[in-house]
Amino acid sequence: MRKIKYKKGRKLQHITLEYTGTQKEHKTEMQLFVYDDNDVIEYEKFTVESLNSCIDYSKNNWLNVHGLNDIGLLKTIGAHFKLDDFLLADILNTTKRTKLEEQQNILFFNIKSLLPSEYSDNISVEQISFILKDGILISFQEKRSDFFTHIRERLRTHAGIVRTKKVDYLLYLLLDAVMENFYITIEDEEDKIEELINLTKRGADPVILEKIENHRDNFNFLKRSIIPLRDSLYYLKTIKDDDTYNGIQKETFSFFVRLHQKSLELLEQIDSDMSSLESASNFYFSEQSRKMNEIMKTLTIISAIFIPLTFIVGVYGMNFEYMPELKERNGYFIVMGAMFLLVIALIIYFKKRRWF
């Protein structure tokens, strides 16, 4: 589990085909759905040589690639669909930000899928890339995951309208599924913030402040991931009247407008949560200051009580030979009683002034 830091990502040449992610152990596999309103055919773990015989361009085709470690296989896929090396390099380079690229007959989209880490406060990141071209949608994932399980079931069972639509609608569903992970991550962060706020009310442990800063970093990372997504979706919904690329039907653009609206809602929610986190941080410092003031007040009261007692002890510790009280038989008891009464009087005075 790691956080992608765009500025510190490994710099590669634009056409360098090298996988920069961490999922090195996952084998590259492919899954193909060929479907229309009447039928669906699912091919699992087939070879790239079977693409010509399996893909039916008279229907809708969804090719899902799991794992990005087999560079040779990806090159073969790129050659089969006539994808240039720049697109393949962007698919393999997981340090790049969310990107939308429109070519004459290709729409390329990559996005970061974020989920809370199971055993830490970090965020798990996976890059997912999409290529929409001539009745086929190709998705590239770093590893096999269950992000799209419900969409596969809808294809198999003919649930909803996905099989009655073209692959541009399928792209909308896949992007929507990835964006749902943002909501899951934000909700998880909100739960942890609520726990932190409760902890700050119980004590001013320095570990709490460290956790607050960690979650602040998480929200900043979420924001940096969603802002380019928002910009890409805004651009996508504005190419409705553009004649350069016609792979998205005009009636489907309204769905991408919904995704853009979701991205705005996510950013607003993050801003609100960051305000809550700031409040938790302020409460932590306020509670720390309050406790320090209580300690200082207690020490001041104790000092105020012992200062006059110290003065009395100092006077009678001067050891002058002709001090009249030194010859008094009950002088010790009288002075101790006076000191005791002085302490009681000071305590009553402080109590009336509500100093403690």
Side-chain angles (χ1 to χ4, degrees):
M1 303 304 177
R2 87 285 189 204
K3 297 178 183 177
I4 290 180
K5 297 181 180 179
Y6 299 113
K7 293 182 180 180
K8 297 183 180 179
R10 183 180 175 190
K11 294 183 179 179
L12 300 174
Q13 295 296 325
H14 294 301
I15 58 173
T16 301
L17 299 184
E18 179 182 345
Y19 174 52
T20 61
T22 60
Q23 308 297 333
K24 304 287 188 180
E25 71 282 1
H26 291 278
K27 181 181 178 182
T28 303
E29 299 175 340
M30 295 187 297
Q31 180 187 39
L32 176 66
F33 283 88
V34 181
Y35 66 93
D36 59 11
D37 191 18
N38 300 316
D39 190 22
V40 59
I41 302 175
E42 181 179 353
Y43 300 92
E44 186 76 24
K45 296 182 180 179
F46 67 102
T47 62
V48 70
E49 290 77 17
S50 305
L51 285 175
N52 282 327
S53 59
C54 295
I55 291 180
D56 186 352
Y57 286 98
S58 65
K59 299 181 180 180
N60 300 311
N61 302 269
W62 174 25
L63 175 63
N64 193 17
V65 180
H66 305 280
L68 303 178
N69 295 300
D70 193 339
I71 306 300
L73 177 61
L74 294 179
K75 284 184 177 180
T76 305
I77 294 174
H80 180 87
F81 294 104
K82 298 179 180 179
L83 306 177
D84 59 42
D85 287 344
F86 291 100
L87 290 181
L88 293 178
D90 286 340
I91 293 170
L92 292 168
N93 191 349
T94 60
T95 64
K96 289 194 172 183
R97 70 202 303 262
T98 294
K99 176 183 179 182
L100 172 67
E101 185 174 339
E102 176 193 6
Q103 298 181 2
Q104 189 169 4
N105 63 340
I106 291 177
L107 187 70
F108 172 74
F109 202 124
N110 74 351
I111 184 174
K112 298 291 187 293
S113 175
L114 309 181
L115 280 173
S117 178
E118 187 174 357
Y119 301 108
S120 70
D121 289 335
N122 291 338
I123 295 177
S124 173
V125 186
E126 178 186 350
Q127 177 170 286
I128 302 176
S129 302
F130 302 98
I131 292 178
L132 184 63
K133 177 185 179 182
D134 299 331
I136 182 168
L137 176 64
I138 312 173
S139 57
F140 297 87
Q141 296 180 250
E142 293 187 65
K143 61 180 180 178
R144 181 176 288 274
S145 58
D146 56 357
F147 299 157
F148 308 138
T149 301
H150 64 290
I151 298 176
R152 295 187 183 95
E153 287 301 316
R154 290 172 68 175
L155 287 171
R156 294 175 184 130
T157 60
H158 206 331
I161 62 174
V162 58
R163 279 174 49 182
T164 65
K165 296 285 187 178
K166 300 295 183 182
V167 287
D168 55 347
Y169 180 77
L170 177 62
L171 174 61
Y172 154 73
L173 289 180
L174 298 179
L175 289 174
D176 185 61
V178 174
M179 291 184 69
E180 284 300 317
N181 293 339
F182 285 99
Y183 285 101
I184 294 173
T185 305
I186 290 175
E187 288 176 4
D188 181 76
E189 288 294 318
E190 288 174 343
D191 292 339
K192 291 177 180 177
I193 289 174
E194 187 174 351
E195 292 177 5
L196 285 176
I197 292 175
N198 292 332
L199 286 175
T200 55
K201 292 178 180 178
R202 287 185 234 148
D205 191 339
V207 176
I208 297 174
L209 186 60
E210 182 181 348
K211 289 184 177 181
I212 288 175
E213 292 304 315
N214 287 339
H215 289 295
R216 197 193 310 276
D217 290 340
N218 286 347
F219 277 120
N220 284 325
F221 177 70
L222 280 165
K223 198 169 185 178
R224 291 199 311 271
S225 301
I226 296 174
I227 286 177
L229 173 61
R230 176 203 62 188
D231 297 339
S232 298
L233 290 171
Y234 177 78
Y235 173 77
L236 188 60
K237 77 173 189 176
T238 60
I239 64 173
K240 182 177 181 179
D241 299 322
D242 189 358
D243 295 331
T244 304
Y245 178 74
N246 299 316
I248 297 179
Q249 297 181 315
K250 291 188 181 298
E251 59 268 22
T252 311
F253 278 99
S254 60
F255 296 105
F256 291 101
V257 173
R258 296 180 185 178
L259 293 182
H260 179 254
Q261 185 63 35
K262 272 191 173 183
S263 67
L264 297 178
E265 293 174 357
L266 286 168
L267 289 173
E268 290 176 357
Q269 187 63 40
I270 288 174
D271 288 336
S272 175
D273 291 334
M274 290 188 73
S275 297
S276 299
L277 202 58
E278 187 69 27
S279 298
S281 180
N282 292 336
F283 186 86
Y284 172 85
F285 287 113
S286 298
E287 184 66 14
Q288 202 171 41
S289 298
R290 186 190 67 79
K291 289 191 173 183
M292 182 60 68
N293 290 336
E294 288 292 328
I295 293 172
M296 294 304 297
K297 184 176 69 173
T298 302
L299 293 176
T300 302
I301 291 173
I302 293 173
S303 299
I305 291 174
F306 277 91
I307 284 174
L309 301 182
T310 304
F311 172 76
I312 295 173
V313 171
V315 169
Y316 286 98
M318 290 187 293
N319 296 322
F320 286 115
E321 183 177 356
Y322 298 105
M323 291 180 67
E325 294 86 353
L326 294 179
K327 304 298 183 181
E328 181 66 39
R329 174 181 287 274
N330 297 318
Y332 169 77
F333 300 104
I334 293 172
V335 172
M336 291 298 294
M339 292 170 66
F340 177 76
L341 292 175
L342 180 59
V343 170
I344 298 298
L346 288 172
I347 291 175
I348 294 173
Y349 175 76
F350 294 153
K351 198 75 174 176
K352 285 186 176 180
R353 298 298 299 267
R354 297 184 179 177
W355 288 2
F356 65 90

